[in-house]
Amino acid sequence: MLSTDLIKLNNLQLAGKLVSDELLLGIQASRRSGVGTEFEQFRHYVPGDDPKRIDWKRFAQTGHHLIRESSTESNQHIRLLLDLSGSMNYTEAGVNRLAYAKILLASLAYIGNRQGDQLSLYGLQNGTVQLMVGAGKSSFQKVVATLESAQAAGSWQSDSTSFPEFSRKQSELLIMASDFLQVGDEWLNLIRNIAGPRREIVIFQLLGDTELAFDLSGFYRFQDLETGQELELQAEAVRDEVRQRASDYLARLDEALRIPHVRLIRVRLSEPIALVLKTFLLR
């Protein structure tokens, strides 16, 4: 289902369910006696896991030491982080970045809830990470409802952004949805501070085709969605420079995030969300 159609539904709960249902229909499941069909997931091996549980076939395919889990085994804590800075209000070809991020996270919440994982939701606004929904009873419904009403505005204003304390015993998965655009190294500093051996960090970087290709022609009034500052330019006059700076930034980001237990997934807003998540789960 196209992202534009999902957004037009104007119903995050329904959109997330449609994506998760489409996703799970296309992923091979395993059948366990007395349990029924259970969705399987993979997670990275961490110290303390039994090496016998490593899926060596997956290792041959990916080069990563992965452990297969069924929904009956999964008891990890999934923390969802939504970027609520002003640049998330960017819209291209009818697809709003914030709406795309909400559907993506809601779909993952559906899957996590189905697997019996703990769920919590955080928002990053003005450079501060805030707990929006804590793990606990009915957290899934609260996560979807809170995502639905979340609004993006402002810029990164904090010099020392930190994350609430993580569990030291439980396996955790931190999933971020953001454009991951930064003035300095604010995002990178946050990731470096929280990366750890029992915490997988997955970053979905959401970018538009025009942002990446900058294939505009003519005069445009460009607006900084975080500061409101406007600038009129002829696209052709700055095209080469913009493309080069974008390419350099993304290459630098790829290099900087080659950190153990951190995975960057670059997504175009034109890509179907179910396809993006299927690639993520099966890799």
Side-chain angles (χ1 to χ4, degrees), residues 180-197:
F180 221 76
L181 301 177
Q182 53 187 358
V183 176
D185 283 339
E186 52 268 24
W187 271 112
L188 288 177
N189 290 336
L190 175 61
I191 297 299
R192 289 165 178 156
N193 287 337
I194 62 179

Side-chain angles (χ1 to χ4, degrees), residues 195-260:
R198 293 196 64 83
R199 184 177 311 118
E200 296 294 323
I201 300 176
V202 179
I203 305 159
F204 287 96
Q205 185 182 25
L206 313 178
L207 298 171
D209 290 323
T210 301
E211 284 183 302
L212 292 167
F214 199 76
D215 51 359
L216 302 174
S217 299
F219 282 92
Y220 283 84
R221 176 177 294 175
F222 298 95
Q223 183 185 48
D224 186 323
L225 293 174
E226 297 189 359
T227 66
Q229 183 178 359
E230 294 184 349
L231 186 65
E232 287 190 4
L233 292 171
Q234 184 181 31
E236 291 89 342
V238 297
R239 180 182 297 157
D240 290 344
E241 182 180 0
V242 170
R243 287 176 174 174
Q244 187 60 54
R245 287 192 178 189
S247 177
D248 291 345
Y249 172 69
L250 296 178
R252 176 176 172 270
L253 200 60
D254 290 339
E255 180 64 29
L257 288 174
R258 289 198 177 102
I259 304 171

